[in-house]
Amino acid sequence: PNITFNGRTENGAGRRVQLLRYSDQLTMREGQEDEDEIGSDGTFSLQCYSNYPMLVVVQIENYSQSFYAEPGRTYDMFLPEFDWAIDEKMNVNLAPVALPFVFNNLPDDEPNVSISRFDAVVDSFIYANRLHLEFHLRPDPLYFDTLVQVVNELVPDTKNEFFNRYKHYRLAALRYEFHFISRTKLFEQEIKDKPILYYDENYMHLFLTLFRNSVSKGSRYLSQRQVAEFVEREALGNLMDSLGLDPLLRNEQVREMVALQALSEAYYRPFYFRSEKVKRMIATIGQRTKFKEHKRLIENLLVKFAEDDVNSVLPDFTLPDVDKRRVSLSSFKGKWIYLSFVRVGEAASQAELATMAHFHDSVCGDSSNVVFVTVDCDREFQTMYHALKNSRRGADYKWTWLHFDGNYALLQRYKVASYPTFILLNPNGERQYSVTPSPATGFLMRGPWRSNEPPAKPRFFLDEYGAKDR
């Protein structure tokens, strides 16, 4: 390790702290570099390695702070007293709350200091002149030129080359997004006949901005219908040759990178592209490519797709029940598991729990192959205990209850962003739907466990003979 983070907290003792970073700018997958438990004295230490400045995230529970870390530097961090129960008053997944870390002994040319000044100047200028830079009101290029002049005066270049590149590429991306420069001209200025700087997050931000949706949504050289046909036939060679019609994509390495970006966008557009065929085309590029950076990107893409796959097998977990016995989710494998994440004190959760209690006996009878499993996400175990043991409603909740036991990584992996959240697992342990209906929709009366027959195909266009298949 060549980067160290020495931290001290006012009231964070006993909590787990993680050091995360993004695998690359295309997939934006978070990977854990290190973790530690904050000691009784409030201190922790984290380490990682990098040969170039990188964006890192320090996360405690479901709160985090991001900043750029430079190789060879030791960061002295302090977290003042923090209200860890904010997440019980508001949804911090939808409205994130940053950890207010204070960094000590940073030099004036440290990139985070300069980047903060730059972002503040740019944001305040755009906001103050928003009527002249609003896209729908035909933005005035003279105001953008003024922005560049103001930035150069208030935040001049420093001896730190990373910040200088950050400033240069961010302004270039802004100029393109405001439509003050064409893709062709910006490409010639920043990318043509130059190496692709995969390691530089700011360069890659500009590159991906420049080619975003330029292929997957069609262009004057290649329509979306043609791209969809190539994907359907898994005709990778035809796709790459057709991309080469664009003068900007004559370079093999640039063309292959743009193809990877386009296919990653296509994967999340199932109306036009079949995801399995997209994955196979990306895997084929991985077998044929001669660029090692692309092999790494493809590995990350396929892992990300597997994590996002509706039919993926979600990771097992073991959590304490109301009597503090450890219960594993895999112990219910072979049955349909209607998994719910709730907070017992919230009205929305209470309403859905009441519906589940009403249908429990009819859905989860002795001969049924369905079980209800509820994970309580209240911070304190006693909140669940009192709701089940000492309240009038507790007797109605006659199914398995578990406490999340401070496992915030589990909530992130299961993509729990609000309460209540429902996930239906089939007897193979696979997620049945991308979005599982809640009990209030009447789903419990028509769930897929009620019949072993395959689901009916979507139908429309009635005629005299009945409904036709799509």
Side-chain angles (χ1 to χ4, degrees), residues 107-378:
D108 290 338
D109 65 344
E110 203 277 334
N112 288 287
V113 178
S114 302
I115 288 172
S116 295
R117 293 197 197 110
F118 171 85
D119 290 342
V121 170
V122 171
D123 291 346
S124 60
F125 184 92
I126 291 176
Y127 180 78
N129 298 278
R130 57 193 180 279
L131 294 180
H132 302 282
L133 293 170
E134 171 60 46
F135 176 73
H136 300 290
L137 300 178
R138 299 186 66 177
D140 187 343
L142 294 178
Y143 278 83
F144 191 85
D145 294 339
T146 303
L147 167 62
V148 175
Q149 183 179 355
V150 169
V151 166
N152 289 331
E153 290 178 357
L154 298 181
V155 196
D157 287 353
T158 69
K159 295 179 181 179
N160 190 293
E161 289 302 318
F162 178 78
F163 167 70
N164 296 340
R165 279 191 291 271
Y166 178 94
K167 173 183 169 182
H168 176 78
Y169 289 128
R170 293 289 164 155
L171 286 175
L174 271 177
R175 188 183 294 276
Y176 176 72
E177 290 173 331
F178 277 124
H179 294 189
F180 293 144
I181 189 172
S182 67
R183 177 187 286 117
T184 300
K185 188 170 183 179
L186 186 57
F187 177 87
E188 291 175 350
Q189 289 179 0
E190 305 295 345
I191 297 175
K192 186 177 181 180
D193 299 330
K194 298 178 182 178
I196 299 178
L197 306 181
Y198 297 95
Y199 58 87
D200 190 301
E201 297 178 1
N202 308 305
Y203 174 92
M204 290 306 299
H205 171 79
L206 174 64
F207 187 102
L208 297 174
T209 298
L210 194 62
F211 291 103
R212 184 184 302 130
N213 299 323
S214 64
V215 174
S216 60
K217 286 192 174 181
S219 68
R220 62 176 176 170
Y221 299 101
L222 187 63
S223 69
Q224 188 179 53
R225 179 182 59 80
Q226 290 174 307
V227 176
E229 289 178 355
F230 291 147
V231 172
E232 184 64 24
R233 294 190 287 111
E234 299 182 39
L236 179 61
N238 291 346
L239 174 63
M240 300 302 290
D241 290 343
S242 298
L243 289 177
L245 296 175
D246 187 340
L248 304 187
L249 303 182
R250 298 289 167 79
N251 179 278
E252 181 184 5
Q253 189 173 6
V254 172
R255 182 165 69 249
E256 192 171 278
M257 181 64 210
V258 171
L260 288 176
Q261 181 181 5
L263 289 171
S264 68
E265 293 167 351
Y267 180 83
Y268 295 101
R269 292 179 184 148
F271 186 82
Y272 297 101
F273 308 95
R274 288 208 272 180
S275 58
E276 288 302 317
K277 292 182 177 292
V278 171
K279 286 195 293 187
R280 286 199 290 269
M281 287 190 73
I282 291 176
T284 302
I285 296 177
Q287 296 167 2
R288 300 178 182 178
T289 185
K290 59 186 180 183
F291 306 110
K292 62 180 182 179
E293 297 89 351
H294 293 178
K295 288 184 179 293
R296 182 174 60 85
L297 285 174
I298 289 168
E299 291 174 359
N300 292 334
L301 273 172
L302 295 178
V303 171
K304 179 176 174 59
F305 293 160
E307 292 174 348
D308 294 342
D309 188 359
V310 172
N311 297 318
S312 62
V313 177
L314 291 169
D316 187 25
F317 59 75
T318 301
L319 298 173
D321 66 9
V322 68
D323 298 313
K324 295 197 173 181
R325 293 188 297 255
R326 307 291 292 184
V327 178
S328 173
L329 184 67
S330 60
S331 63
F332 302 103
K333 194 171 182 179
K335 294 188 175 184
W336 292 91
I337 304 173
Y338 194 58
L339 181 62
S340 55
F341 295 85
V342 304
R343 280 183 173 161
V344 294
E346 295 186 357
S349 294
Q350 291 174 353
E352 298 290 2
L353 289 171
T355 305
M356 291 174 65
H358 178 77
F359 287 102
H360 176 263
D361 291 342
S362 60
V363 174
C364 305
D366 293 337
S367 60
S368 174
N369 65 337
V370 184
V371 294
F372 289 173
V373 177
T374 293
V375 178
D376 178 65
C377 300
D378 289 290

